Every structure is written in structure tokens, then in C-alpha cells.
Amino acid sequence: MTTTETPRLPIVILISGRGSNLQSIIDCADSGVLSVNIRAVLSNRPDAEGLRLARAAGIPTGVIDHSSYPDRADFDRALQGEIDRHQPGLVVLAGFMRLLTAGFVAHYHGRMLNIHPSLLPQLPGLYTHRRAIEAGYREHGASVHFVSAAMDGGPVLAQARVAIEPDDTPDALAARVLQQEHRLYPLAIQWYAEHRIFLDDHGQIMFDGKPLTRPRDLAMEQTLPC
Ligand code: NHR
Ligand code: GAR
């Protein structure tokens, strides 16, 4: 059992669906190599499979159903209230599918990460795997970025690359990208927990005391043993 000396960072994880990234974070936290304490898992969808995974791991869950709110600002206020009850040092979007208002994003400036299934700034938005194949790209992947008001437009801290094969399908490609996501996200979160990475006052990512000029590439990194 490996234990790190880094104190466990309290986090809240937001999901909308399956929760496989959530599970990879739970596994790494349980094995002691990811220094986080998952205070709560919150979903905008009551039927999200990931809620079951969280409950199975003994993590408190909450549902803030967006369809019960008249507009995005009201939904975001409710979500913010629920998150802040848990006083997280970091908010982690893991397959969270609702665009967030600028006010909400500003409240968590430098304290909210997202994993997006493309090599940003390529392909922000939805259906990235199909779009990567249709565009004839030879390479695709996943990015972890600080969340800013612009959809998938915040500063990118780390990426994992995946080759696109000649007869690839969106589902096959998505599965290979997802495997990389499960290595990439825990590592990026651990960097944050260790204060190796943060957003400075100019919106610039600092990594190990230096400005990060381009995203870290997972292939160049040692991944967590979990
Ligand atoms: N909010 C802001 N302000 N900035 C970002 O960078 C965000 C964000 C909210 C979510 C995740 C993102 C992704 O990784 C994310 C990044 C949902 C949509 C979307 O269009 C786009 C990007 C992302 C997540 N959602 C539709 C909407 O109307 C609803 C889709 C659905 O419910 O299935 O919100 O890809
Ligand atoms: C992941 O591929 C994630 O990158 C993507 O959805 C999947 C969620 O899977 N996120 C987005 O597209 C955000 N808009 P999971 O629920 O099994 O973690």
C-alpha cells in the first residue's frame, strides 16, 4: 500500500452519466496514490450510472436536476450551493454535460478542472470522436483543462494522444481515448493536490514553478500506479 505525504485535498466531482472517469479517481484514491478526499459526487441527471458507483464506494451523492430549474443561472446557483457545502479545494468535472454560466465559473476560478475528449484547441464541444474521424485527423486524444467561461477554452495542462486507424469507428476510438483518460485525469489531479500545478494571477498555468508553455504529454510522464 503506497501512501504519499501530500495531505488529502477535498474534492467534489460532477458527473452526468456513466462515471468511468469517476471510478478511476475512486480507485486511485482508495489505493492511496491519489491524495484526495472525495467529499461528494453530484449529478444533474437522477439516472446517472455514476451515482451508483459513488454509493458503492460509500461517497455521499446529490442530484441537482437541471430540468427542475427555470434557467441556467438558477440551476448553477443551486449547484454552487450544494458544492460549497462540502468546501472542496477543487471541483472536478468528469463527464459533466451542462454548460456552466460565467458567474459560476468565476466563483471556481483556478479551482475547477474538466477532462475533454479531444486534443484541445481542436474539437471543442460534443461528438468529438465522430468529428475527428470525419475530419480525417490522424491523431486524437483527451485534454485536462482549467474551466473558463468559454466552452472547452480554458488553459490546458495535460493531454494524452491516440492514433486514429484507417477503419476506425467513433465507438472504437472513444474506447481507446477513454483508457487514456483514466490514466490522465488522476495524474493531473494529483499534480494539483501536490500544488505542482496552479493558475497564476494572469491566467497562466504554472508547473513546478515555471510557466507551462504547452500541455504536458502523458507519454512523457510517469503515471500513477493505480
Ligand atoms: N462550462 C463552461 N463555462 N466552460 C467549460 O469549459 C465547460 C463547461 C461545462 C462543461 C465540459 C464540456 C466537455 O468536456 C464542460 C466544459 C457539455 C457541453 C454542451 O454543449 C459542451 C461542452 C462540455 C459539456 N452541453 C449541452 C448544454 O446545452 C447539453 C448536452 C446534454 O445535456 O447532453 O449545456 O465536452
Ligand atoms: C468521457 O469521455 C469524457 O471525456 C467526456 O464524456 C465521457 C464521460 O465518460 N466528457 C465530455 O464529453 C464532457 N462534455 P464517463 O462518464 O465514463 O467518465
Side-chain angles (χ1 to χ4, degrees), residues 67-180:
S67 64
S68 316
Y69 295 86
D71 58 37
R72 286 179 191 268
D74 279 321
F75 167 70
D76 281 7
R77 266 192 292 277
L79 182 60
Q80 182 176 318
E82 197 54 37
I83 294 169
D84 287 351
R85 267 187 344 105
H86 301 282
Q87 299 184 275
L90 180 69
V91 177
V92 171
L93 308 189
F96 182 71
M97 298 307 290
R98 297 298 297 176
L99 289 172
L100 298 161
T101 56
F104 180 96
V105 171
H107 179 68
Y108 300 105
H109 180 74
R111 300 191 287 141
M112 181 159 57
L113 296 179
N114 178 44
I115 188 158
H116 176 75
S118 80
L119 296 173
L120 292 172
Q122 279 179 353
L123 302 175
L126 305 177
Y127 315 111
T128 58
H129 309 295
R130 179 169 56 71
R131 288 160 60 209
I133 292 172
E134 282 174 3
Y137 294 161
R138 298 175 55 182
E139 205 175 35
H140 185 47
S143 303
V144 175
H145 64 94
F146 283 100
V147 175
S148 73
M151 175 187 72
D152 298 325
V156 178
L157 57 111
Q159 293 184 321
R161 297 170 182 280
V162 169
I164 298 181
E165 306 297 342
D167 292 314
D168 239 326
T169 63
D171 283 354
L173 180 57
R176 299 204 306 287
V177 170
L178 195 63
Q179 286 187 330
Q180 297 303 312

